[in-house]
Amino acid sequence: MNFKTLIFLILTFSVIFVGSISITPPDYATHIYKQTLDAQVGGNIHANPLIENYLEKNSLDTAFDFNLEKGSQVYRLGNGKGKKILICGGIHGDEVQGPLTVVSILYYLKSHGNKGTIYIIPFAIPIDTEKNTRYYNQSGDVYDPNRKADIPGTPVNKILKFAVSHKINYLIDVHSGIGVKEEGMVYYGNSFEENWAKNIQNSTGCAIKTNPANGTLRSEASKRNINAITLEVEKINQGVDVPVQTELNILKRACAYLKITYYKF
Ligand SMILES: [Zn+2]
């Protein structure tokens, strides 16, 4: 073997070796921890046919059974270090596209890995998902839970407290609504959130809107120095499957902007 051939072989194997390191994502599946977040909002999410049909059809209840009768669960991906992100779905129990999108990103991150630490609450209020209702019934007091995030003891206030105590830097609250354009929508408040929303808009064509509303998880988080956006897709006119794909694409873009995923979209 002459010198040139030796150099050629060394270079070739170096490229293959380095390449194989950089394209193999770490296996983060073993780093998913879960804990009960709120024992008072437990319910059987499988009793909601829109949820159950989608989970079954897409084999999304195999790795996680989402047995939430004893309370809502928060899943942690990562070791608690780095940037901290909270992704939340199901604050409004009748907006099934939201939790199904969050379940989908949970599976996506499980197989693709992530940087930093991502906390995921797929079903914020399981009892409301079970009943397919927007309104939470707290001992006879029936109210929109996403208008009382600032009131201690309410389900969304517990999520807000979790975010503050876990030093969350970025929060993404995932909903669906009526009259939302086909490409979806992102709500923002401050200038960081606006740039975040504009970046998502550039790649997805979604609408963006600022609409500070006291008592929403997004606005209350933002007041506490947690940059927060809310995602919306159409919940009635486009069924479930298409809006979930639209919202998942928006959510992946939102994560890519924070540089917490290994792949560009
Ligand atoms: Zn909502």
mmCIF file of all heavy atoms in Angstrom, residues 102-148:
data_model
loop_
_atom_site.group_PDB
_atom_site.id
_atom_site.type_symbol
_atom_site.label_atom_id
_atom_site.label_comp_id
_atom_site.label_asym_id
_atom_site.label_seq_id
_atom_site.Cartn_x
_atom_site.Cartn_y
_atom_site.Cartn_z
ATOM 1 N N VAL A 102 -50.073 17.531 21.288
ATOM 2 C CA VAL A 102 -49.047 17.422 22.344
ATOM 3 C C VAL A 102 -48.615 15.962 22.526
ATOM 4 O O VAL A 102 -47.428 15.675 22.709
ATOM 5 C CB VAL A 102 -49.557 18.063 23.658
ATOM 6 C CG1 VAL A 102 -48.532 17.882 24.769
ATOM 7 C CG2 VAL A 102 -49.836 19.549 23.441
ATOM 8 N N VAL A 103 -49.570 15.036 22.447
ATOM 9 C CA VAL A 103 -49.223 13.607 22.486
ATOM 10 C C VAL A 103 -48.292 13.281 21.314
ATOM 11 O O VAL A 103 -47.294 12.566 21.472
ATOM 12 C CB VAL A 103 -50.494 12.722 22.423
ATOM 13 C CG1 VAL A 103 -50.126 11.268 22.147
ATOM 14 C CG2 VAL A 103 -51.288 12.828 23.719
ATOM 15 N N SER A 104 -48.597 13.833 20.147
ATOM 16 C CA SER A 104 -47.779 13.554 18.955
ATOM 17 C C SER A 104 -46.353 14.074 19.113
ATOM 18 O O SER A 104 -45.397 13.399 18.718
ATOM 19 C CB SER A 104 -48.420 14.187 17.708
ATOM 20 O OG SER A 104 -49.728 13.705 17.526
ATOM 21 N N ILE A 105 -46.181 15.252 19.710
ATOM 22 C CA ILE A 105 -44.820 15.791 19.880
ATOM 23 C C ILE A 105 -44.080 14.971 20.952
ATOM 24 O O ILE A 105 -42.865 14.788 20.873
ATOM 25 C CB ILE A 105 -44.816 17.302 20.221
ATOM 26 C CG1 ILE A 105 -43.428 17.929 19.939
ATOM 27 C CG2 ILE A 105 -45.157 17.581 21.669
ATOM 28 C CD1 ILE A 105 -43.161 18.323 18.551
ATOM 29 N N LEU A 106 -44.815 14.455 21.929
ATOM 30 C CA LEU A 106 -44.196 13.602 22.943
ATOM 31 C C LEU A 106 -43.575 12.366 22.281
ATOM 32 O O LEU A 106 -42.420 12.014 22.554
ATOM 33 C CB LEU A 106 -45.247 13.204 23.984
ATOM 34 C CG LEU A 106 -44.819 12.321 25.155
ATOM 35 C CD1 LEU A 106 -43.701 12.954 25.964
ATOM 36 C CD2 LEU A 106 -46.018 12.041 26.074
ATOM 37 N N TYR A 107 -44.321 11.740 21.385
ATOM 38 C CA TYR A 107 -43.796 10.579 20.648
ATOM 39 C C TYR A 107 -42.642 10.993 19.733
ATOM 40 O O TYR A 107 -41.646 10.283 19.608
ATOM 41 C CB TYR A 107 -44.896 9.907 19.819
ATOM 42 C CG TYR A 107 -45.682 8.897 20.613
ATOM 43 C CD1 TYR A 107 -46.776 9.285 21.368
ATOM 44 C CD2 TYR A 107 -45.310 7.561 20.628
ATOM 45 C CE1 TYR A 107 -47.497 8.359 22.115
ATOM 46 C CE2 TYR A 107 -46.022 6.625 21.365
ATOM 47 C CZ TYR A 107 -47.111 7.027 22.104
ATOM 48 O OH TYR A 107 -47.803 6.115 22.841
ATOM 49 N N TYR A 108 -42.795 12.126 19.086
ATOM 50 C CA TYR A 108 -41.758 12.599 18.174
ATOM 51 C C TYR A 108 -40.437 12.816 18.928
ATOM 52 O O TYR A 108 -39.377 12.345 18.505
ATOM 53 C CB TYR A 108 -42.208 13.909 17.504
ATOM 54 C CG TYR A 108 -41.171 14.434 16.561
ATOM 55 C CD1 TYR A 108 -41.108 13.969 15.251
ATOM 56 C CD2 TYR A 108 -40.216 15.358 16.985
ATOM 57 C CE1 TYR A 108 -40.128 14.420 14.382
ATOM 58 C CE2 TYR A 108 -39.232 15.806 16.123
ATOM 59 C CZ TYR A 108 -39.191 15.339 14.830
ATOM 60 O OH TYR A 108 -38.213 15.779 13.992
ATOM 61 N N LEU A 109 -40.511 13.500 20.061
ATOM 62 C CA LEU A 109 -39.288 13.794 20.824
ATOM 63 C C LEU A 109 -38.712 12.523 21.443
ATOM 64 O O LEU A 109 -37.497 12.389 21.572
ATOM 65 C CB LEU A 109 -39.586 14.834 21.913
ATOM 66 C CG LEU A 109 -39.954 16.221 21.383
ATOM 67 C CD1 LEU A 109 -40.490 17.102 22.506
ATOM 68 C CD2 LEU A 109 -38.751 16.895 20.714
ATOM 69 N N LYS A 110 -39.592 11.598 21.802
ATOM 70 C CA LYS A 110 -39.137 10.318 22.361
ATOM 71 C C LYS A 110 -38.240 9.587 21.352
ATOM 72 O O LYS A 110 -37.233 8.997 21.718
ATOM 73 C CB LYS A 110 -40.343 9.460 22.712
ATOM 74 C CG LYS A 110 -40.027 8.083 23.268
ATOM 75 C CD LYS A 110 -41.332 7.367 23.601
ATOM 76 C CE LYS A 110 -41.067 5.953 24.117
ATOM 77 N NZ LYS A 110 -40.563 5.054 23.067
ATOM 78 N N SER A 111 -38.604 9.650 20.089
ATOM 79 C CA SER A 111 -37.808 8.916 19.097
ATOM 80 C C SER A 111 -36.682 9.753 18.489
ATOM 81 O O SER A 111 -35.701 9.199 18.001
ATOM 82 C CB SER A 111 -38.717 8.377 17.987
ATOM 83 O OG SER A 111 -39.409 9.424 17.379
ATOM 84 N N HIS A 112 -36.782 11.079 18.515
ATOM 85 C CA HIS A 112 -35.760 11.917 17.878
ATOM 86 C C HIS A 112 -34.801 12.590 18.860
ATOM 87 O O HIS A 112 -33.776 13.104 18.445
ATOM 88 C CB HIS A 112 -36.420 13.004 17.028
ATOM 89 C CG HIS A 112 -37.050 12.465 15.774
ATOM 90 N ND1 HIS A 112 -38.247 11.801 15.790
ATOM 91 C CD2 HIS A 112 -36.633 12.476 14.493
ATOM 92 C CE1 HIS A 112 -38.551 11.434 14.550
ATOM 93 N NE2 HIS A 112 -37.589 11.822 13.751
ATOM 94 N N GLY A 113 -35.169 12.622 20.146
ATOM 95 C CA GLY A 113 -34.294 13.254 21.129
ATOM 96 C C GLY A 113 -34.485 14.757 21.192
ATOM 97 O O GLY A 113 -35.096 15.367 20.318
ATOM 98 N N ASN A 114 -33.970 15.354 22.270
ATOM 99 C CA ASN A 114 -34.076 16.808 22.429
ATOM 100 C C ASN A 114 -32.887 17.320 23.210
ATOM 101 O O ASN A 114 -32.191 16.559 23.876
ATOM 102 C CB ASN A 114 -35.366 17.167 23.175
ATOM 103 C CG ASN A 114 -35.412 16.594 24.580
ATOM 104 O OD1 ASN A 114 -35.716 15.416 24.765
ATOM 105 N ND2 ASN A 114 -35.072 17.403 25.568
ATOM 106 N N LYS A 115 -32.674 18.642 23.131
ATOM 107 C CA LYS A 115 -31.665 19.279 23.973
ATOM 108 C C LYS A 115 -32.389 19.989 25.111
ATOM 109 O O LYS A 115 -33.576 20.263 24.995
ATOM 110 C CB LYS A 115 -30.877 20.299 23.152
ATOM 111 C CG LYS A 115 -30.158 19.685 21.956
ATOM 112 C CD LYS A 115 -29.576 20.772 21.070
ATOM 113 C CE LYS A 115 -29.313 20.238 19.680
ATOM 114 N NZ LYS A 115 -28.963 21.297 18.726
ATOM 115 N N GLY A 116 -31.672 20.336 26.165
ATOM 116 C CA GLY A 116 -32.324 20.996 27.285
ATOM 117 C C GLY A 116 -33.318 20.065 27.960
ATOM 118 O O GLY A 116 -33.215 18.846 27.876
ATOM 119 N N THR A 117 -34.297 20.657 28.614
ATOM 120 C CA THR A 117 -35.292 19.872 29.349
ATOM 121 C C THR A 117 -36.688 20.304 28.927
ATOM 122 O O THR A 117 -37.002 21.493 28.964
ATOM 123 C CB THR A 117 -35.110 20.081 30.868
ATOM 124 O OG1 THR A 117 -33.793 19.625 31.229
ATOM 125 C CG2 THR A 117 -36.142 19.295 31.658
ATOM 126 N N ILE A 118 -37.484 19.346 28.493
ATOM 127 C CA ILE A 118 -38.842 19.664 28.043
ATOM 128 C C ILE A 118 -39.846 18.953 28.940
ATOM 129 O O ILE A 118 -39.791 17.730 29.105
ATOM 130 C CB ILE A 118 -39.062 19.233 26.575
ATOM 131 C CG1 ILE A 118 -37.948 19.785 25.680
ATOM 132 C CG2 ILE A 118 -40.433 19.721 26.088
ATOM 133 C CD1 ILE A 118 -38.096 19.447 24.200
ATOM 134 N N TYR A 119 -40.712 19.750 29.555
ATOM 135 C CA TYR A 119 -41.811 19.192 30.350
ATOM 136 C C TYR A 119 -43.068 19.199 29.479
ATOM 137 O O TYR A 119 -43.358 20.204 28.816
ATOM 138 C CB TYR A 119 -42.057 20.036 31.603
ATOM 139 C CG TYR A 119 -40.902 20.028 32.578
ATOM 140 C CD1 TYR A 119 -39.903 20.997 32.523
ATOM 141 C CD2 TYR A 119 -40.823 19.056 33.575
ATOM 142 C CE1 TYR A 119 -38.843 20.991 33.412
ATOM 143 C CE2 TYR A 119 -39.766 19.048 34.484
ATOM 144 C CZ TYR A 119 -38.778 20.020 34.387
ATOM 145 O OH TYR A 119 -37.732 20.019 35.277
ATOM 146 N N ILE A 120 -43.777 18.083 29.484
ATOM 147 C CA ILE A 120 -44.953 17.969 28.616
ATOM 148 C C ILE A 120 -46.162 17.525 29.426
ATOM 149 O O ILE A 120 -46.132 16.504 30.125
ATOM 150 C CB ILE A 120 -44.665 16.971 27.470
ATOM 151 C CG1 ILE A 120 -43.530 17.525 26.595
ATOM 152 C CG2 ILE A 120 -45.932 16.714 26.640
ATOM 153 C CD1 ILE A 120 -43.212 16.685 25.369
ATOM 154 N N ILE A 121 -47.229 18.331 29.341
ATOM 155 C CA ILE A 121 -48.516 17.979 29.972
ATOM 156 C C ILE A 121 -49.513 17.784 28.830
ATOM 157 O O ILE A 121 -50.069 18.759 28.315
ATOM 158 C CB ILE A 121 -49.019 19.104 30.909
ATOM 159 C CG1 ILE A 121 -47.944 19.483 31.938
ATOM 160 C CG2 ILE A 121 -50.322 18.683 31.604
ATOM 161 C CD1 ILE A 121 -48.246 20.766 32.697
ATOM 162 N N PRO A 122 -49.750 16.544 28.398
ATOM 163 C CA PRO A 122 -50.635 16.364 27.235
ATOM 164 C C PRO A 122 -52.105 16.685 27.556
ATOM 165 O O PRO A 122 -52.805 17.269 26.745
ATOM 166 C CB PRO A 122 -50.479 14.880 26.877
ATOM 167 C CG PRO A 122 -49.309 14.385 27.653
ATOM 168 C CD PRO A 122 -49.189 15.264 28.858
ATOM 169 N N PHE A 123 -52.535 16.279 28.776
ATOM 170 C CA PHE A 123 -53.936 16.467 29.158
ATOM 171 C C PHE A 123 -53.953 17.235 30.481
ATOM 172 O O PHE A 123 -53.787 16.660 31.547
ATOM 173 C CB PHE A 123 -54.642 15.119 29.319
ATOM 174 C CG PHE A 123 -54.693 14.316 28.037
ATOM 175 C CD1 PHE A 123 -53.696 13.375 27.749
ATOM 176 C CD2 PHE A 123 -55.709 14.504 27.114
ATOM 177 C CE1 PHE A 123 -53.728 12.628 26.571
ATOM 178 C CE2 PHE A 123 -55.744 13.770 25.925
ATOM 179 C CZ PHE A 123 -54.763 12.832 25.657
ATOM 180 N N ALA A 124 -54.157 18.540 30.395
ATOM 181 C CA ALA A 124 -54.076 19.385 31.591
ATOM 182 C C ALA A 124 -55.219 19.102 32.561
ATOM 183 O O ALA A 124 -55.033 19.153 33.777
ATOM 184 C CB ALA A 124 -54.083 20.858 31.183
ATOM 185 N N ILE A 125 -56.423 18.837 32.016
ATOM 186 C CA ILE A 125 -57.605 18.612 32.862
ATOM 187 C C ILE A 125 -58.334 17.382 32.319
ATOM 188 O O ILE A 125 -59.325 17.501 31.591
ATOM 189 C CB ILE A 125 -58.528 19.860 32.884
ATOM 190 C CG1 ILE A 125 -57.721 21.128 33.202
ATOM 191 C CG2 ILE A 125 -59.668 19.670 33.894
ATOM 192 C CD1 ILE A 125 -58.522 22.423 33.186
ATOM 193 N N PRO A 126 -57.849 16.171 32.656
ATOM 194 C CA PRO A 126 -58.431 14.953 32.077
ATOM 195 C C PRO A 126 -59.946 14.840 32.221
ATOM 196 O O PRO A 126 -60.628 14.376 31.315
ATOM 197 C CB PRO A 126 -57.705 13.828 32.833
ATOM 198 C CG PRO A 126 -56.390 14.432 33.214
ATOM 199 C CD PRO A 126 -56.687 15.881 33.506
ATOM 200 N N ILE A 127 -60.490 15.302 33.359
ATOM 201 C CA ILE A 127 -61.945 15.184 33.554
ATOM 202 C C ILE A 127 -62.697 16.000 32.501
ATOM 203 O O ILE A 127 -63.785 15.603 32.045
ATOM 204 C CB ILE A 127 -62.362 15.601 35.000
ATOM 205 C CG1 ILE A 127 -63.855 15.365 35.249
ATOM 206 C CG2 ILE A 127 -61.985 17.024 35.322
ATOM 207 C CD1 ILE A 127 -64.310 13.922 35.126
ATOM 208 N N ASP A 128 -62.138 17.131 32.084
ATOM 209 C CA ASP A 128 -62.803 17.948 31.053
ATOM 210 C C ASP A 128 -62.634 17.347 29.659
ATOM 211 O O ASP A 128 -63.513 17.493 28.807
ATOM 212 C CB ASP A 128 -62.269 19.391 31.092
ATOM 213 C CG ASP A 128 -62.826 20.150 32.282
ATOM 214 O OD1 ASP A 128 -63.650 19.560 33.036
ATOM 215 O OD2 ASP A 128 -62.443 21.323 32.479
ATOM 216 N N THR A 129 -61.510 16.662 29.415
ATOM 217 C CA THR A 129 -61.350 15.924 28.155
ATOM 218 C C THR A 129 -62.358 14.779 28.111
ATOM 219 O O THR A 129 -62.993 14.539 27.090
ATOM 220 C CB THR A 129 -59.914 15.389 28.018
ATOM 221 O OG1 THR A 129 -59.011 16.511 27.982
ATOM 222 C CG2 THR A 129 -59.739 14.574 26.741
ATOM 223 N N GLU A 130 -62.521 14.095 29.248
ATOM 224 C CA GLU A 130 -63.512 13.010 29.308
ATOM 225 C C GLU A 130 -64.907 13.530 28.960
ATOM 226 O O GLU A 130 -65.637 12.942 28.165
ATOM 227 C CB GLU A 130 -63.527 12.394 30.726
ATOM 228 C CG GLU A 130 -64.606 11.340 30.903
ATOM 229 C CD GLU A 130 -64.736 10.818 32.344
ATOM 230 O OE1 GLU A 130 -63.724 10.781 33.070
ATOM 231 O OE2 GLU A 130 -65.857 10.450 32.726
ATOM 232 N N LYS A 131 -65.261 14.685 29.524
ATOM 233 C CA LYS A 131 -66.610 15.244 29.318
ATOM 234 C C LYS A 131 -66.710 16.083 28.046
ATOM 235 O O LYS A 131 -67.786 16.575 27.710
ATOM 236 C CB LYS A 131 -66.997 16.101 30.536
ATOM 237 C CG LYS A 131 -67.153 15.288 31.810
ATOM 238 C CD LYS A 131 -67.855 16.063 32.921
ATOM 239 C CE LYS A 131 -66.949 17.048 33.617
ATOM 240 N NZ LYS A 131 -67.510 17.654 34.825
ATOM 241 N N ASN A 132 -65.581 16.273 27.369
ATOM 242 C CA ASN A 132 -65.519 17.103 26.165
ATOM 243 C C ASN A 132 -66.113 18.494 26.409
ATOM 244 O O ASN A 132 -66.929 19.000 25.644
ATOM 245 C CB ASN A 132 -66.241 16.406 24.999
ATOM 246 C CG ASN A 132 -65.739 16.904 23.647
ATOM 247 O OD1 ASN A 132 -64.528 16.941 23.416
ATOM 248 N ND2 ASN A 132 -66.639 17.308 22.759
ATOM 249 N N THR A 133 -65.675 19.118 27.506
ATOM 250 C CA THR A 133 -66.213 20.435 27.855
ATOM 251 C C THR A 133 -65.107 21.474 28.034
ATOM 252 O O THR A 133 -63.987 21.135 28.445
ATOM 253 C CB THR A 133 -67.046 20.377 29.153
ATOM 254 O OG1 THR A 133 -67.516 21.695 29.462
ATOM 255 C CG2 THR A 133 -66.220 19.875 30.339
ATOM 256 N N ARG A 134 -65.448 22.719 27.710
ATOM 257 C CA ARG A 134 -64.515 23.830 27.886
ATOM 258 C C ARG A 134 -64.444 24.259 29.350
ATOM 259 O O ARG A 134 -63.435 24.794 29.797
ATOM 260 C CB ARG A 134 -65.013 25.024 27.045
ATOM 261 C CG ARG A 134 -64.193 26.300 27.173
ATOM 262 C CD ARG A 134 -64.808 27.428 26.345
ATOM 263 N NE ARG A 134 -64.016 28.647 26.379
ATOM 264 C CZ ARG A 134 -63.011 28.908 25.549
ATOM 265 N NH1 ARG A 134 -62.682 28.032 24.622
ATOM 266 N NH2 ARG A 134 -62.333 30.030 25.631
ATOM 267 N N TYR A 135 -65.537 24.010 30.106
ATOM 268 C CA TYR A 135 -65.665 24.611 31.432
ATOM 269 C C TYR A 135 -65.362 23.622 32.549
ATOM 270 O O TYR A 135 -65.830 22.485 32.533
ATOM 271 C CB TYR A 135 -67.079 25.192 31.594
ATOM 272 C CG TYR A 135 -67.353 26.256 30.552
ATOM 273 C CD1 TYR A 135 -68.096 25.966 29.405
ATOM 274 C CD2 TYR A 135 -66.802 27.525 30.693
ATOM 275 C CE1 TYR A 135 -68.310 26.933 28.429
ATOM 276 C CE2 TYR A 135 -66.992 28.495 29.722
ATOM 277 C CZ TYR A 135 -67.754 28.196 28.592
ATOM 278 O OH TYR A 135 -67.936 29.152 27.632
ATOM 279 N N TYR A 136 -64.570 24.097 33.500
ATOM 280 C CA TYR A 136 -64.183 23.259 34.636
ATOM 281 C C TYR A 136 -65.182 23.447 35.771
ATOM 282 O O TYR A 136 -65.573 24.575 36.074
ATOM 283 C CB TYR A 136 -62.770 23.633 35.102
ATOM 284 C CG TYR A 136 -62.279 22.792 36.251
ATOM 285 C CD1 TYR A 136 -62.111 21.420 36.096
ATOM 286 C CD2 TYR A 136 -61.987 23.369 37.484
ATOM 287 C CE1 TYR A 136 -61.672 20.635 37.155
ATOM 288 C CE2 TYR A 136 -61.537 22.602 38.542
ATOM 289 C CZ TYR A 136 -61.381 21.233 38.364
ATOM 290 O OH TYR A 136 -60.946 20.464 39.410
ATOM 291 N N ASN A 137 -65.569 22.343 36.399
ATOM 292 C CA ASN A 137 -66.513 22.387 37.510
ATOM 293 C C ASN A 137 -65.755 22.136 38.807
ATOM 294 O O ASN A 137 -65.375 21.012 39.110
ATOM 295 C CB ASN A 137 -67.599 21.321 37.304
ATOM 296 C CG ASN A 137 -68.689 21.401 38.361
ATOM 297 O OD1 ASN A 137 -68.472 21.926 39.456
ATOM 298 N ND2 ASN A 137 -69.875 20.895 38.033
ATOM 299 N N GLN A 138 -65.504 23.227 39.542
ATOM 300 C CA GLN A 138 -64.778 23.111 40.815
ATOM 301 C C GLN A 138 -65.789 23.197 41.950
ATOM 302 O O GLN A 138 -66.174 24.292 42.365
ATOM 303 C CB GLN A 138 -63.720 24.230 40.916
ATOM 304 C CG GLN A 138 -62.780 24.071 42.094
ATOM 305 C CD GLN A 138 -61.563 24.985 41.979
ATOM 306 O OE1 GLN A 138 -61.500 25.878 41.125
ATOM 307 N NE2 GLN A 138 -60.585 24.773 42.848
ATOM 308 N N SER A 139 -66.251 22.043 42.417
ATOM 309 C CA SER A 139 -67.248 21.964 43.504
ATOM 310 C C SER A 139 -68.465 22.846 43.221
ATOM 311 O O SER A 139 -68.907 23.600 44.096
ATOM 312 C CB SER A 139 -66.612 22.371 44.842
ATOM 313 O OG SER A 139 -65.433 21.645 45.057
ATOM 314 N N GLY A 140 -68.982 22.777 42.003
ATOM 315 C CA GLY A 140 -70.186 23.531 41.674
ATOM 316 C C GLY A 140 -69.918 24.898 41.059
ATOM 317 O O GLY A 140 -70.815 25.524 40.498
ATOM 318 N N ASP A 141 -68.690 25.384 41.186
ATOM 319 C CA ASP A 141 -68.309 26.655 40.562
ATOM 320 C C ASP A 141 -67.781 26.328 39.150
ATOM 321 O O ASP A 141 -66.703 25.760 39.016
ATOM 322 C CB ASP A 141 -67.218 27.324 41.420
ATOM 323 C CG ASP A 141 -66.804 28.676 40.869
ATOM 324 O OD1 ASP A 141 -67.531 29.204 39.988
ATOM 325 O OD2 ASP A 141 -65.757 29.202 41.311
ATOM 326 N N VAL A 142 -68.572 26.657 38.130
ATOM 327 C CA VAL A 142 -68.234 26.268 36.759
ATOM 328 C C VAL A 142 -67.645 27.478 36.024
ATOM 329 O O VAL A 142 -68.281 28.539 35.972
ATOM 330 C CB VAL A 142 -69.487 25.737 36.017
ATOM 331 C CG1 VAL A 142 -69.135 25.335 34.591
ATOM 332 C CG2 VAL A 142 -70.076 24.545 36.766
ATOM 333 N N TYR A 143 -66.423 27.321 35.509
ATOM 334 C CA TYR A 143 -65.766 28.484 34.880
ATOM 335 C C TYR A 143 -64.803 28.048 33.788
ATOM 336 O O TYR A 143 -64.435 26.869 33.684
ATOM 337 C CB TYR A 143 -65.033 29.313 35.948
ATOM 338 C CG TYR A 143 -63.977 28.540 36.723
ATOM 339 C CD1 TYR A 143 -62.671 28.394 36.225
ATOM 340 C CD2 TYR A 143 -64.270 27.962 37.957
ATOM 341 C CE1 TYR A 143 -61.703 27.701 36.931
ATOM 342 C CE2 TYR A 143 -63.305 27.259 38.674
ATOM 343 C CZ TYR A 143 -62.023 27.139 38.156
ATOM 344 O OH TYR A 143 -61.067 26.448 38.843
ATOM 345 N N ASP A 144 -64.392 29.035 32.958
ATOM 346 C CA ASP A 144 -63.374 28.811 31.930
ATOM 347 C C ASP A 144 -62.008 28.764 32.631
ATOM 348 O O ASP A 144 -61.552 29.780 33.161
ATOM 349 C CB ASP A 144 -63.413 29.961 30.909
ATOM 350 C CG ASP A 144 -62.385 29.788 29.793
ATOM 351 O OD1 ASP A 144 -61.384 29.048 29.993
ATOM 352 O OD2 ASP A 144 -62.566 30.409 28.731
ATOM 353 N N PRO A 145 -61.364 27.596 32.656
ATOM 354 C CA PRO A 145 -60.109 27.488 33.428
ATOM 355 C C PRO A 145 -58.986 28.376 32.897
ATOM 356 O O PRO A 145 -58.076 28.735 33.634
ATOM 357 C CB PRO A 145 -59.751 25.999 33.297
ATOM 358 C CG PRO A 145 -60.470 25.529 32.081
ATOM 359 C CD PRO A 145 -61.718 26.352 31.978
ATOM 360 N N ASN A 146 -59.071 28.743 31.615
ATOM 361 C CA ASN A 146 -57.994 29.578 31.062
ATOM 362 C C ASN A 146 -58.274 31.069 31.210
ATOM 363 O O ASN A 146 -57.768 31.895 30.445
ATOM 364 C CB ASN A 146 -57.731 29.234 29.591
ATOM 365 C CG ASN A 146 -56.291 29.557 29.190
ATOM 366 O OD1 ASN A 146 -55.384 29.536 30.032
ATOM 367 N ND2 ASN A 146 -56.080 29.871 27.921
ATOM 368 N N ARG A 147 -59.113 31.426 32.188
ATOM 369 C CA ARG A 147 -59.282 32.826 32.573
ATOM 370 C C ARG A 147 -58.967 33.009 34.053
ATOM 371 O O ARG A 147 -59.124 34.088 34.602
ATOM 372 C CB ARG A 147 -60.714 33.304 32.290
ATOM 373 C CG ARG A 147 -61.085 33.295 30.808
ATOM 374 C CD ARG A 147 -60.266 34.291 29.974
ATOM 375 N NE ARG A 147 -60.656 34.256 28.578
ATOM 376 C CZ ARG A 147 -60.145 33.412 27.659
ATOM 377 N NH1 ARG A 147 -59.207 32.549 28.008
ATOM 378 N NH2 ARG A 147 -60.556 33.449 26.414
ATOM 379 N N LYS A 148 -58.521 31.920 34.705
ATOM 380 C CA LYS A 148 -58.271 32.003 36.156
ATOM 381 C C LYS A 148 -56.892 31.464 36.524
ATOM 382 O O LYS A 148 -56.708 30.932 37.616
ATOM 383 C CB LYS A 148 -59.362 31.221 36.914
ATOM 384 C CG LYS A 148 -60.745 31.847 36.800
ATOM 385 C CD LYS A 148 -61.663 31.387 37.914
ATOM 386 C CE LYS A 148 -63.010 32.076 37.823
ATOM 387 N NZ LYS A 148 -63.799 31.951 39.048
#
